[in-house]
Amino acid sequence: MTGSLAVVGLGPGDASMLTPEASLVLAEADSIYGYGPYVDRVPVRAGQKRLASDNRAERDRAAAALEAAVGGERVVVVSGGDPGVFAMAAAVCEMIEQGPEAWRRLDVRVVPGITAMLALAARCGAPLGHDFCAISLSDNLKPWAVIERRLTAAAEAGFVMALYNPVSKARPWQLGAAFDLLRRLLPVATPVVFGRAVGRGGESVVVVRLEAADAAQADMATCVIVGSAETRVVERPGLAPLVYTPRRLGR
Amino acid sequence: MTGSLAVVGLGPGDASMLTPEASLVLAEADSIYGYGPYVDRVPVRAGQKRLASDNRAERDRAAAALEAAVGGERVVVVSGGDPGVFAMAAAVCEMIEQGPEAWRRLDVRVVPGITAMLALAARCGAPLGHDFCAISLSDNLKPWAVIERRLTAAAEAGFVMALYNPVSKARPWQLGAAFDLLRRLLPVATPVVFGRAVGRGGESVVVVRLEAADAAQADMATCVIVGSAETRVVERPGLAPLVYTPRRLGR
């Protein structure tokens, strides 16, 4: 029997944003591996194994999933959002590179999903309508100096920025430091959007000016979009403002 | 009667990557506006109007759609991929800002989709597994000097890059110029992935080294991902290579 491994993006959380491809792969799996809260989003099916693990156990989880696939199971590893964006697909590829030959012979597939910045952008207009970048603010896996350098490069070159992993209990100061850095490079009125739990229960979207952006507005479930100098806020009577970055620049 | 406007992302093309949310909004629409090839992807429904227009008529299309919504229709504007990434959501927001007050009172919604870089990244592994950016190579809407500056900033700061709109009949030289610029800044072995028509008929994914990247490999249906100095290619016996960017840097 030949097993397989699929790394599946669950999207923001609500079933309405889970692709039919992801639903099908999940339904056909023998076993589901992932961080507990993501495994909990997958409907329970009789006969299907569910192996939840800690957020930081990514290498161990990938290795266990690869071993199960080599053993003949149809294995799914789940990620929130898109598995290729600061998530499990890179961890699985890394283990395949470093692990036994049998892992490099496996049928491996990545199933894309709606990543947090796309869900948040859709909720508030089109802030990612022009050139943009995605930066993880976690300095668990890279030095803070690299993050500062990237924030600076992105601001100076006019990219809108989506900030992933802005804050956690173990990383309380990084988002505030990022805002301080960006305030020295961007106009005070630059729009900043905080999206918490977008696309699932308890959603909130807040738009502020960079001068008033406060890291305390974010938690682990938040994605933050920082506009460029071109990004605009359109006020609307009785409705939430629209935030967008024009497609046209400098003409 | 109160109309509404939804800007809907069709994803890469295959129905398996169209979200249930997008399917539902399309099914309930009175009229579908969009670039011809995108409108053609929407299943025909009795009583639903279909208004296809040229790729470059984005402002006129947005205005016509907004007018129809003010007139009471449930209007959908379709985009390939995600409507917020170099697509119609920003055009609609722009017209709302500049147009009559009635447009700012409309129920407007953006429905996200799987954008080209996520679909391509999933097909080849996890090249966007670390910090990355998305740059449109079209100099129809911004000066080429700005594009050069952003490519330079992204390469120097270590971002992986997804290049949208790499080439068209009217823009034949821009991708070649981008590769020439990047060859001066990145290692010759940096992986470059060409994804053509990913997620629909005629799909092809090709991985080359930056030194061998040839703009003639791309057309209007291509998304190009250029790795960073950290991006790796994992060769596999009898299978396509995996391309990924490790989550960990510099430790």
Side-chain angles (χ1 to χ4, degrees), chain B residues 1 4 33 38 56 104 106 143 148 153 159 203 205 244 251:
Chain B
M1 192 166 96
S4 63
Y33 287 74
Y38 298 146
R56 286 155 296 185
R104 283 183 290 285
L106 270 176
E148 286 184 322
F159 288 99
E203 167 173 329
V205 176
Y244 81 99
R251 295 260 172 98

Side-chain angles (χ1 to χ4, degrees), chain A residues 135 146-158 161 181-182 185:
Chain A
I135 303 177
V146 169
I147 299 174
E148 286 185 322
R149 187 168 152 232
R150 290 184 181 164
L151 292 168
T152 302
E156 290 180 344
M161 290 168 236
L181 183 158
L182 294 173
L185 299 170

Side-chain angles (χ1 to χ4, degrees), chain B residues 165-168 175 194-197 215-224:
Chain B
N165 306 318
V167 68
S168 75
L175 180 60
F194 292 83
R196 190 183 176 286
Q217 293 171 272
D219 65 9
M220 277 184 68
T222 305
C223 181
V224 179

